[in-house]
Amino acid sequence: MVWNRSGFILACLFISSSSVAAVNRYVVFFKDKSGTAYSVSSPLAFLSQRAIERRTKQGIVITASDFPVNQNYIDGVKNTGAETYFNSRWMNALLIQCDASLLTTIEALPYVDHIEYVAPNAKLLINGRKKNVLQSKGSKAETTDAQLEQIGIDQMHQDGFKGEGMIIAIFDDGFQGVDNATPFQPIFSDGRIDLITSKDFVRNSDDVFQYDDHGTEVFSVIAAFQSGTFTSGAYKANYQLYVTEDVATEYRIEEYNWLFAAERADSAGVDVINSSLGYYDFDDASMNYAKSDMDGETSIISQAAQLAADRGMLIVCSAGNEGGIAWQIITTPADTEDVLAVANVSSTGIRAGSSSIGPSADGRIKPDVAALGSGTSVIRANGSLGASSGTSLSAPLITSLAAGIWQRYPSLTNKEIMHAIRMSASQAFNPDNLIGYGIPNYGAAANYIDQQSQENAFEVYPNPIVSDSIFIKPFDPGQVASCRMQLLSIRGQIIYDGDINFSWLSLTSAVNVSPLSSGVYFMRIFWNNKRFTYKLVKI
């Protein structure tokens, strides 16, 4: 039997001979990964070095859920006559396209757990319904000053953080004009866009520069640059582009496209994901979510977002534009716990009435933060400057902010960066379900992180390092018997990880740093369920 997420048998499979003969899209879920050739001890066989380093520096363990789907299972499904497409490591599943008459045969395979119907037809509709876009366009072009200054990105740029070395992925509905418009050309000339990894999951194409310009405008807020005309938030970063949203129709398959993109981004070592997308109603009403489903766990896309966050990527998502209609609340995956959901405010900090509100169905504060989404300056597909509104444009500003802060503090985890952004925002002491913790700011977040670092239980000296050793000493030796210490490179690679012991006989512990070359390093000390971070310079 084929079940939807609510557990009801899909009637469309049994109504008539014409429906039985229909070719639709399904996701096949497998029972296990038995017989896999992969091992957690050899992760380079299925993850990039950068993906492994991201996990390692954040203390994230690689597990069997990271293993690829068993190829024999994929081949077995393909041998039934079904067309096989993308697969999910995290959910142990496979996207297929086939005649409904094959489902009984596929379900009878001993390693198949169940099948889920996700979209009709063999090919996506060219002229489907007009979707409610996540932003409205305006004709008045503004400078980018207001949107950058509101959250301190202008200061972030002055401090030298423009996203260098960070990899940002954008999930959207298409990126028309990005490959030709002048404000995007520095990205191509510098080789900072990964065209090999970028993917269109809607039609299984490698051409992401088509379909729609919603993704173009979102991407421009993060990445476009034209001297004297347009400055985006993280215009020196590296980028990957993913088409996951079908502008013509709305079915659950788009959630799975998001999942496939997240896994590809994870494998390719992405740091930050921007997703200006949200879901709750579909062309097939049986797929619709209820408000009670916005709990960060029920929808496929919220599960995918949490799995991505748990693997060390920082996820930023638009809260939704349902504040002025009956639905009113956030859409998914903005409901996910470890996703920064972003509301829309004006240049004076007033929430737009269309901006979706919280809380999540399980009572958490949502949205998390807010940024300018009313008259945000963007680059159009033809390269011209324009203005658009919606939470879709607020999210890429926060993505840029997060990338710059993480660039400045590379030893922190994704969740520590998110925590700092929330806890230093304008109404962190009195958050609400309209704009969450408020409007964040680069300077405020940096001050928050620096203050947390100063509240240390240890003294680390000398700094700068001028000898072959550095010394660690507890401020209260009577309270500290041992701790764990990590030494990291400026890119977050762990150089040393081990335990250090103290006693009244030996109050100070020496660490040999003679093998280290000159440069900047980070030391992390774990003690009493806290983590203390020190920036070190070796001369």
Side-chain angles (χ1 to χ4, degrees):
M1 290 181 292
V2 181
W3 298 81
N4 66 10
R5 279 284 150 187
S6 301
F8 297 107
I9 301 174
L10 292 168
C12 64
L13 300 182
F14 307 99
I15 291 175
S16 67
S17 58
S18 61
S19 67
V20 169
V23 174
N24 298 315
R25 281 159 289 172
Y26 306 89
V27 172
V28 179
F29 291 84
F30 298 112
K31 293 178 180 178
D32 53 50
K33 293 185 178 179
S34 296
T36 182
Y38 299 99
S39 167
V40 294
S41 61
S42 301
L44 278 173
F46 51 91
L47 293 173
S48 69
Q49 182 62 44
R50 187 181 172 102
I52 295 168
E53 290 173 359
R54 188 188 62 237
R55 283 165 165 77
T56 301
K57 79 172 186 177
Q58 297 186 62
I60 298 169
V61 178
I62 296 171
T63 69
S65 64
D66 293 305
F67 295 169
V69 175
N70 190 315
Q71 186 61 45
N72 291 331
Y73 294 177
I74 296 174
D75 293 341
V77 173
K78 187 174 184 178
N79 288 338
T80 67
E83 298 174 14
T84 57
Y85 292 93
F86 311 111
N87 59 79
S88 167
R89 295 178 282 119
W90 301 342
M91 294 190 181
N92 200 22
L94 171 69
L95 176 66
I96 67 169
Q97 185 169 275
C98 71
D99 188 298
S101 62
L102 289 178
L103 296 177
T104 301
T105 301
I106 296 171
E107 192 175 41
L109 295 172
Y111 39 80
V112 170
D113 184 80
H114 67 283
I115 305 172
E116 182 174 337
Y117 164 74
V118 293
N121 307 317
K123 293 183 179 180
L124 297 173
L125 297 175
I126 296 174
N127 296 309
R129 81 170 191 186
K130 277 289 186 182
K131 294 175 60 62
N132 292 321
V133 297
L134 293 179
Q135 99 278 23
S136 59
K137 297 182 179 182
S139 58
K140 184 180 180 182
E142 304 286 353
T143 68
T144 53
D145 292 350
Q147 62 207 52
L148 300 182
E149 291 171 2
Q150 186 181 60
I151 57 176
I153 289 182
D154 57 331
Q155 183 61 52
M156 186 176 86
H157 289 173
Q158 290 175 29
D159 286 354
F161 303 106
K162 306 178 183 73
E164 292 93 338
M166 304 296 292
I167 301 180
I168 302 173
I170 296 88
F171 296 1
D172 221 290
D173 65 359
F175 303 90
Q176 282 183 336
V178 165
D179 52 338
N180 293 313
T182 299
F184 295 105
Q185 291 315 297
I187 303 168
F188 292 89
S189 59
D190 294 346
R192 290 184 288 106
I193 186 164
D194 187 345
L195 296 176
I196 295 176
T197 304
S198 297
K199 185 73 177 178
D200 164 23
F201 286 94
V202 172
R203 291 185 181 272
N204 188 25
S205 165
D206 293 329
D207 182 7
V208 297
F209 306 116
Q210 57 179 327
Y211 302 131
D212 198 67
D213 65 352
H214 179 271
T216 304
E217 295 184 4
V218 168
F219 185 42
S220 73
V221 176
I222 300 170
F225 181 82
Q226 193 165 13
S227 181
T229 303
F230 192 95
T231 301
S232 63
Y235 62 89
K236 287 290 188 179
N238 296 278
Y239 311 102
Q240 296 174 12
L241 305 180
Y242 296 91
V243 178
T244 65
E245 165 74 8
D246 180 3
V247 296
T249 62
E250 192 85 305
Y251 293 101
R252 288 274 180 94
I253 191 170
E254 294 168 47
E255 296 187 69
Y256 286 98
N257 290 342
W258 201 103
L259 166 68
F260 301 142
E263 293 192 23
R264 190 177 177 100
D266 167 46
S267 295
V270 161
D271 300 302
V272 185
I273 292 174
N274 182 93
S275 173
S276 289
L277 304 168
Y279 301 93
Y280 71 96
D281 67 337
F282 298 89
D283 290 348
D284 182 339
S286 70
M287 296 181 176
N288 289 355
Y289 290 115
K291 289 185 177 182
S292 59
D293 294 327
M294 300 295 105
D295 58 2
E297 298 178 347
T298 298
S299 74
I300 283 292
I301 198 170
S302 66
Q303 294 174 40
Q306 187 60 55
L307 287 166
D310 288 343
R311 282 157 177 78
M313 291 181 286
L314 197 158
I315 320 297
V316 181
C317 182
S318 52
N321 296 317
E322 284 65 42
I325 63 175
W327 179 262
Q328 200 172 23
I329 65 168
I330 53 171
T331 53
T332 190
D335 60 329
T336 310
E337 181 173 2
D338 288 316
V339 163
L340 275 178
V342 188
N344 168 8
V345 294
S346 69
S347 59
T348 58
I350 305 301
R351 171 186 163 268
S354 61
S355 188
S356 292
I357 65 173
S360 62
D362 56 333
R364 287 174 286 110
I365 291 288
K366 286 287 179 177
D368 295 274
V369 292
L372 184 68
S374 299
T376 307
S377 293
V378 299
I379 297 296
R380 308 278 195 221
N382 63 5
S384 65
L385 178 65
S388 292
S389 297
T391 59
S392 286
L393 288 313
S394 305
L397 286 166
I398 298 301
T399 291
S400 301
L401 175 68
I405 294 173
W406 211 357
Q407 180 190 358
R408 175 170 173 169
Y409 299 99
S411 68
L412 298 184
T413 68
N414 61 336
K415 296 177 184 179
E416 287 171 334
I417 295 292
M418 292 169 62
H419 181 75
I421 290 173
R422 290 189 186 106
M423 292 300 100
S424 61
S426 61
Q427 55 182 46
F429 296 109
N430 188 31
D432 58 33
N433 288 302
L434 298 176
I435 61 170
Y437 294 85
I439 301 171
N441 185 278
Y442 162 77
N447 288 338
Y448 179 87
I449 294 169
D450 290 341
Q451 179 61 35
Q452 295 298 106
S453 298
Q454 290 171 15
E455 296 173 357
N456 286 321
F458 299 87
E459 180 182 6
V460 178
Y461 62 94
N463 191 19
I465 304 168
V466 293
S467 62
D468 290 338
S469 298
I470 53 174
F471 301 90
I472 303 172
K473 180 180 180 181
F475 280 115
D476 188 350
Q479 296 295 317
V480 184
S482 64
C483 65
R484 177 183 164 205
M485 187 273 283
Q486 288 181 340
L487 192 62
L488 300 91
S489 71
I490 194 170
R491 283 298 307 154
Q493 295 171 296
I494 296 178
I495 300 169
Y496 174 83
D497 188 340
D499 293 330
I500 295 175
N501 299 312
F502 303 96
S503 69
W504 286 112
L505 186 62
S506 179
L507 299 179
T508 302
S509 179
V511 178
N512 180 19
V513 293
S514 59
L516 300 183
S517 58
S518 299
V520 177
Y521 298 88
F522 293 94
M523 178 180 287
R524 297 195 298 207
I525 298 177
F526 301 84
W527 174 73
N528 197 28
N529 295 319
K530 296 181 180 179
R531 189 178 80 171
F532 308 98
T533 303
Y534 304 81
K535 181 178 180 180
L536 306 173
V537 178
K538 185 176 184 185
I539 298 176

